[in-house]
Amino acid sequence: MSSVREQLEKLREEIRDHQYRYYVEAQPVVSDYEFDQLMRALEALEQKHPDLVTPDSPTARVGGQVTGGFPSHTFQEPMLSLDNAYSFDELEDWGRRVAERAGTGEIDFVAELKIDGLSVTLIYEAGRLEMGITRGDGRTGEVVTSNVRTIRSVPLRLKRPESVEVRGEIFLRLEAFRRLNDERDAEGLARFANPRNAAAGSLRQVDPASVARRPLDFFSYALLPHRPSQSEDLAALTGLGFKVNPNVLRTGSLNEVIEFCRAWEDRRDTLDYEIDGVVVKVDSAFLQERLGSTAKAPRWAVAVKFRARQATTRLVDIRIQVGRTGALTPVAELEPVQVSGITIRNATLHNEDEIARLGVAIGDRVLIERGGDVIPKVLKVVETGPDRRPFQMPTHCPECGSEVYRAEDEVKSRCISQTCPAKVKESFLHWASRKAMDIDGLGERLVDQLVEHGLVRDISDLFELADKRDALVALDRVGEKSADNLLKEIGATRMLPFSRVVYGLGIRHVGERTAQILADYFHSMDALLKAELAELEQVAEIGPVVAETIYRFVRESHNRRLIDRLRDFGLRMVMDGPAPDRPEQVFAGMKIVLTGTLLGITRDDAKELIEQRGGRVTSSVSKKTNFVLAGADPGSKLEKARKLEVRVVDESEFREML
Ligand code: IVH
């Protein structure tokens, strides 16, 4: 039996590890519920052994962690956390304690949805947004004002010129979250585990322009200085121009609060954002004051946490799905199981490495979770099966039998055949998808039939379907009317802008945004087809791997033929409007670091000028840096440049270069 001291240290280490994965890497490996349970176990043990509490214990901090990179700000009033209630019994216990301390049984409560995002505080002076700060560790947060400014539901100016502080939750709607993850997939980046991580990742980006592209949203729930009650705070927030979540209950009955919690736990799937519970608050500010707070959380509020949307079931088999890019994705086939009202039969296992990390084999009992993603995921093995069968990635494509190849720096194995029917079908679905050609009638069923009947081989064949109308109408579930609609929709794709054509081609790593960047930069398909690798590499935001993929794609003969045919059928191969005057590429391929204050130009403008001329602005000085542009009061970057003998350029020299 290990000593209590050892037990404590082990728990703390485990919690610290999870905190790091959660806050720093934004890639948690346990659910919030499991994490809370660990914290609770630690708290309980520390309470029994107060002499063994150390100042560096995870219980000593309010939560969160300041990760650096943004200036920090210490709050005047700390951003407290909330105590959790995991059952209605615990909620009732809380209610009794509140009544006792308040010295009255007549208490009004306000119940609000607990938005699963990240909390921020906004400081307004005379009605203007001065600062937006993340919660950080509850005492000190990070100043992310420029990023907060990009959020449309955060008013930059209040309806009245008041000086107030507003607290609330920044979050990402599910649709935006799914889109963002699809884009990350397309660009070969790791997916965000849930919408909250995605929001956190977005808010902490260094470039506000890229934050602006992710539609973050904001619900406010606290106003400082307080009005006489929470319900009046909420009304005042609406009056100042903030969004307040409309699903609020004010009642004197804790039973009604419980009903509200039950109802929302059942209905959470009807919302297009994630909630993880209900926050119950004592309405009266006077009573709130009387109840006070501990170092970590107010006594006048409690978070009733919903049960996690998890379940355990048996992994019956692992099937392989072949995607448009030929990527093989292992999918778990599960013994059907109910998770918060929905029957789950499949879960994603992502890739070979993930299966190894989970240590999962066919026949095991696994814990699965439904998160913000459409497809649930396997979290861990809860019990190994008696005759478990380890999974092996196939060496040949299950769809076409061609060889499977896994590049050294990739997690996915891919089918190498150009004509693999699974790849072909996926390429049609991608072409028809909303962000590409948006062809409503062209779904999975129809694509399967078109490919299997040999009516189409690649996407350009869609334009010849008009001559094969009879064959089309003869297909299962295709009537005269739907055939005509489909042909009309296919015809209408000729009107779509060039960037959508680039996206629709389904080049690996080229998501919607990259397609737009390519269209803006090259302006026409001809220019894109002629681009040399070096030129692709110097396009802002396009890295060497993506550049090479594009370069290879447009040089491959089948793809050339496809593009030529699309051109012949009348798809747009140039951008609308005049070609941009592209400045001379004086910084082509250069890595440039900015330091100090520039006088005649803002940093953002300098960056833009450099990027327009083919350069890249990087954040730290290395031997590969071509030069450092130094303004007034340069920092340690200048010293480093001198040490590494990197060229230093001042502002006037920079202008000459331009
Ligand atoms: S009130 C002092 N109201 O939950 C009380 N918090 O686990 C401050 N949250 O850090 C919190 N929705 O990020 C409050 N309607 C709501 C909320 C809410 C989400 C978050 C908030 C807080 C966390 C505590």
Side-chain angles (χ1 to χ4, degrees):
M1 182 59 200
S2 65
S3 70
V4 176
R5 199 185 293 273
E6 276 164 12
Q7 249 177 310
L8 275 169
E9 224 10 78
K10 197 165 152 251
L11 260 175
R12 287 178 188 143
E13 255 321 296
E14 201 175 340
I15 290 172
R16 281 189 201 109
D17 179 51
H18 289 314
Q19 282 180 323
Y20 181 78
R21 287 169 189 271
Y22 183 101
Y23 290 109
V24 182
E25 296 184 326
Q27 299 284 352
V29 294
V30 291
S31 66
D32 290 0
Y33 178 78
E34 285 172 289
F35 179 80
D36 281 346
Q37 293 302 314
L38 287 174
M39 263 313 236
R40 284 194 151 199
L42 177 60
E43 274 164 14
L45 203 56
E46 287 187 346
Q47 241 161 37
K48 270 204 275 179
H49 304 276
D51 50 314
L52 296 181
V53 177
T54 55
D56 64 349
S57 171
T59 54
R61 88 158 83 236
V62 183
Q65 187 159 338
V66 180
T67 46
F70 290 92
S72 61
H73 174 91
T74 302
F75 307 117
Q76 287 194 326
E77 189 172 319
M79 291 187 75
L80 295 180
S81 155
L82 290 171
D83 285 333
N84 293 326
Y86 287 103
S87 66
F88 296 129
D89 283 346
E90 288 186 20
L91 174 64
E92 283 171 341
D93 288 345
W94 172 81
R96 274 189 286 277
R97 286 197 302 275
V98 163
E100 219 166 88
R101 274 194 181 250
T104 165
E106 302 222 335
I107 297 172
D108 274 342
F109 301 103
V110 172
E112 300 167 10
L113 299 186
K114 187 170 185 302
I115 314 296
D116 196 7
L118 37 139
S119 44
V120 291
T121 195
L122 310 173
I123 298 178
Y124 288 84
E125 268 158 39
R128 282 175 193 278
L129 176 64
E130 291 293 323
M131 243 198 265
I133 311 153
T134 67
R135 175 157 170 267
D137 65 4
R139 317 240 163 254
T140 306
E142 288 176 306
V143 181
V144 290
T145 317
S146 334
N147 290 348
V148 167
R149 276 180 197 282
T150 67
I151 304 173
R152 284 164 208 271
S153 41
V154 169
L156 300 181
R157 223 170 163 176
L158 303 181
K159 294 199 175 159
R160 290 188 300 275
E162 294 188 17
S163 295
V164 292
E165 191 170 332
V166 171
R167 293 182 174 179
E169 204 78 357
I170 289 181
F171 64 100
L172 197 62
R173 291 190 186 267
L174 290 176
E175 205 214 277
F177 165 69
R178 289 170 187 159
R179 185 155 38 94
L180 181 61
N181 260 353
D182 289 349
E183 262 173 49
R184 291 178 69 87
D185 263 353
E187 283 163 31
L189 300 168
R191 293 172 72 90
F192 285 116
N194 54 49
R196 185 193 25 201
N197 286 328
S202 306
L203 194 65
R204 300 189 69 268
Q205 287 194 108
V206 190
D207 173 18
S210 29
V211 183
R213 279 192 296 274
R214 301 186 185 173
L216 293 170
D217 212 329
F218 179 69
F219 277 132
S220 60
Y221 51 67
L223 175 63
L224 303 173
H226 292 293
R227 305 290 145 106
S229 67
Q230 170 67 11
S231 42
E232 284 162 280
D233 277 0
L234 295 180
L237 284 166
T238 308
L240 286 170
F242 289 93
K243 270 211 256 189
V244 170
N245 191 285
N247 307 301
V248 180
L249 171 75
R250 178 166 169 241
T251 172
S253 147
L254 216 47
N255 281 332
E256 280 186 19
V257 170
I258 291 175
E259 275 321 302
F260 180 86
C261 295
R262 281 215 176 94
W264 278 108
E265 177 150 24
D266 286 345
R267 298 189 50 207
R268 61 195 290 197
D269 282 331
T270 63
L271 298 169
D272 69 343
Y273 47 87
E274 292 240 282
I275 57 173
D276 60 343
V278 167
V279 184
V280 186
K281 303 173 181 176
V282 169
D283 192 30
S284 150
F286 172 75
L287 287 184
Q288 288 183 3
E289 187 99 352
R290 183 182 282 177
L291 289 160
S293 302
T294 67
K296 274 178 282 173
R299 293 197 191 85
W300 48 265
V302 69
V304 181
K305 296 285 278 244
F306 292 157
R307 275 160 300 171
R309 288 187 291 187
Q310 298 178 343
T312 63
T313 185
R314 208 171 70 87
L315 175 64
V316 181
D317 205 351
I318 296 179
R319 172 171 43 95
I320 295 290
Q321 221 170 40
V322 185
R324 160 175 57 88
T325 58
L328 272 55
T329 302
V331 178
E333 292 193 355
L334 306 166
E335 222 161 63
V337 62
Q338 290 276 319
V339 185
S340 53
I342 290 189
T343 309
I344 303 296
R345 293 191 169 80
N346 299 124
T348 178
L349 284 161
H350 299 292
N351 55 57
E352 235 177 325
D353 291 0
E354 175 70 1
I355 293 176
R357 189 185 73 76
L358 292 166
V360 67
I362 297 162
D364 288 350
R365 285 197 75 75
V366 291
L367 179 70
I368 59 159
E369 179 175 56
R370 274 182 63 211
D373 285 299
V374 181
I375 309 166
K377 56 180 163 239
V378 176
L379 289 182
K380 65 174 182 190
V381 175
V382 285
E383 196 189 300
T384 54
D387 35 38
R388 61 202 305 257
R389 192 151 53 83
F391 168 77
Q392 278 233 305
M393 205 64 184
T395 52
H396 290 81
C397 173
E399 296 283 341
C400 72
S402 303
E403 232 174 278
V404 161
Y405 170 75
R406 179 174 167 182
E408 236 171 69
D409 53 349
E410 288 222 14
V411 291
K412 294 263 186 188
S413 303
R414 286 171 203 279
C415 167
I416 56 168
S417 161
Q418 278 299 324
T419 52
C420 170
K423 278 166 83 165
V424 171
K425 287 177 187 172
E426 281 294 328
S427 71
F428 278 94
L429 293 175
H430 175 74
W431 179 254
S433 68
R434 207 170 38 82
K435 289 180 288 180
M437 296 295 120
D438 197 13
I439 308 173
D440 230 357
L442 195 58
E444 213 160 317
R445 273 188 87 91
L446 185 56
V447 168
D448 283 355
Q449 295 190 71
L450 289 174
V451 173
E452 276 154 28
H453 285 77
L455 289 174
V456 293
R457 273 163 316 175
D458 69 44
I459 47 184
S460 66
D461 295 336
L462 289 172
F463 292 94
E464 285 182 340
L465 281 180
D467 304 335
K468 303 179 185 166
R469 188 171 170 281
D470 290 346
L472 193 57
V473 175
L475 296 178
D476 192 24
R477 296 208 190 195
V478 182
E480 305 261 342
K481 207 169 143 205
S482 59
D484 287 337
N485 275 341
L486 179 71
L487 294 174
K488 209 163 87 195
E489 287 210 30
I490 291 171
T493 59
R494 295 189 171 93
M495 304 301 292
L496 293 174
F498 172 53
S499 58
R500 304 261 294 257
V501 177
V502 176
Y503 173 70
L505 289 175
I507 308 172
R508 236 175 97 209
H509 303 310
V510 178
E512 192 188 11
R513 167 144 181 81
T514 308
Q516 186 69 54
I517 291 172
L518 289 171
D520 287 342
Y521 187 92
F522 290 102
H523 217 71
S524 72
M525 188 61 90
D526 284 337
L528 180 60
L529 296 181
K530 274 198 288 237
E532 289 300 328
L533 187 57
E535 184 169 16
L536 279 159
E537 276 183 15
Q538 70 179 35
V539 179
E541 291 187 50
I542 292 187
V545 175
V546 181
E548 183 164 350
T549 317
I550 301 168
Y551 181 73
R552 280 174 184 259
F553 184 97
V554 298
R555 251 141 245 264
E556 201 276 332
S557 60
H558 294 89
N559 296 333
R560 281 275 179 159
R561 182 185 153 270
L562 173 68
I563 292 168
D564 285 345
R565 270 173 58 91
L566 291 175
R567 188 199 306 268
D568 292 345
F569 284 119
L571 281 175
R572 296 224 171 152
M573 295 290 163
V574 283
M575 283 271 279
D576 291 329
D581 288 336
R582 189 141 14 96
E584 208 182 318
Q585 303 290 296
V586 285
F587 300 134
M590 290 192 186
K591 290 202 169 87
I592 298 163
V593 172
L594 307 183
T595 181
T597 318
L598 300 172
L599 302 175
I601 180 175
T602 69
R603 240 170 205 261
D604 283 347
D605 288 345
K607 184 164 179 254
E608 200 177 325
L609 288 171
I610 291 168
E611 286 173 353
Q612 283 167 350
R613 287 158 180 75
R616 261 169 187 273
V617 174
T618 57
S619 56
S620 58
V621 182
S622 76
K623 277 202 182 123
K624 289 192 188 142
T625 307
N626 293 77
F627 68 85
V628 170
L629 169 58
D633 300 326
S636 58
K637 287 179 191 169
L638 183 64
E639 278 165 41
K640 185 142 182 222
R642 298 236 157 94
K643 210 154 88 201
L644 296 176
E645 296 180 350
V646 170
R647 179 174 172 205
V648 177
V649 164
D650 68 15
E651 215 174 314
S652 63
E653 233 174 308
F654 178 65
R655 286 192 182 282
E656 271 167 35
M657 293 168 121
L658 292 177

